[in-house]
Amino acid sequence: EARRLASIRPAGRLDPPLTLALDEAALICPVPLDSWTADMGGRGITIHIAAQSRAQLRQRWGPNGAAAILNNAGTLLVYGGTRDPEDLMAWSTLSGDRTEPNLTVRVPVLSPAQVSQLPERTVLVIKRSMPAAVGVVRMAWRRPDVRRAARANPMLPAQPQVEAAAP
C-alpha cells in the first residue's frame, strides 16, 4: 500500500516519509524484504531490519535474498556476542584493513575475535562510504532530548518502568 501511495504522489515519494521498524524480521516478517530493500528508499520508505544473524536472513530469504538485504542496507549495526565464524569473518572483512606503522603487512581493523567480544552496549557501525567505526549505544531515556520531552509532557515516562520480581 505504501508503494502504491508513493507512486501516485509527485516525485513518486511519500511525504511525510514512512519508517518500518522490523525487530526480529526473519521470524515475524514473511514478506519480500530482499526486493523491498532495493526499492523502498527511493519512495520515501525507510526500513530498519533487526536480525540475530546472517543465518536467520538466509533461512528466511535464501542466500541470494540475505545477500541482497545486507548489500542494500545503508548502515549495518553489529553487536558483539555472535559466535558464528562466517559472520565474524564477514564483519571483520567489511571493517577493512589498516596499515601498521613500520610494518609492511596489512591487518584487519577488527579481528573476528574482537567483533565477537564487543562489550555490552558497544556496536560496530558499517556504513557505506565511510570507514567502520565502533560506538557506544546510550539508553534512550538517558538522552537529554528525551529527558526534556518527558519533563515537558508528564504523560511520557522519564525512564523505563520496571516491575519488581516476586521473591
Side-chain angles (χ1 to χ4, degrees):
E1 182 63 13
R3 180 186 288 151
R4 186 189 68 73
L5 290 172
S7 71
I8 62 174
R9 295 281 201 282
R13 299 179 56 83
L14 288 182
D15 185 17
L18 171 67
T19 297
L20 303 174
L22 309 175
D23 190 14
E24 296 291 352
L27 300 177
I28 65 162
C29 208
V31 297
L33 280 181
D34 50 338
S35 298
W36 288 7
T37 57
D39 180 52
M40 296 300 193
R43 298 176 186 274
I45 302 165
T46 301
I47 305 174
H48 298 279
I49 302 166
Q52 295 294 321
S53 65
R54 291 168 56 236
Q56 274 189 337
L57 296 175
R58 285 191 301 268
Q59 184 176 14
R60 170 65 74 185
W61 291 283
N64 292 339
I69 290 168
L70 292 171
N71 285 327
N72 292 337
T75 304
L76 299 171
L77 302 178
V78 181
Y79 290 87
T82 186
R83 289 175 276 310
D84 183 282
E86 284 184 36
D87 283 3
L88 293 169
M89 187 56 73
W91 306 136
S92 176
T93 300
L94 289 174
S95 296
D97 294 328
R98 67 177 184 267
T99 303
E100 291 285 338
N102 301 322
L103 295 176
T104 58
V105 297
R106 292 174 65 85
V107 298
V109 171
L110 292 171
S111 71
Q114 289 172 309
V115 176
S116 173
Q117 297 168 11
L118 288 171
E120 186 174 330
R121 293 195 182 111
T122 301
V123 62
L124 168 61
V125 180
I126 301 171
K127 182 167 177 52
R128 288 188 187 136
S129 304
M130 116 178 193
V134 174
V136 177
V137 179
R138 287 182 20 197
M139 295 295 117
W141 62 85
R142 292 186 179 158
R143 289 177 23 194
D145 59 323
V146 173
R147 289 168 106 55
R148 276 192 303 277
R151 283 192 302 273
N153 184 350
M155 298 302 292
L156 295 175
Q159 61 183 359
Q161 304 299 314
V162 179
E163 295 183 20

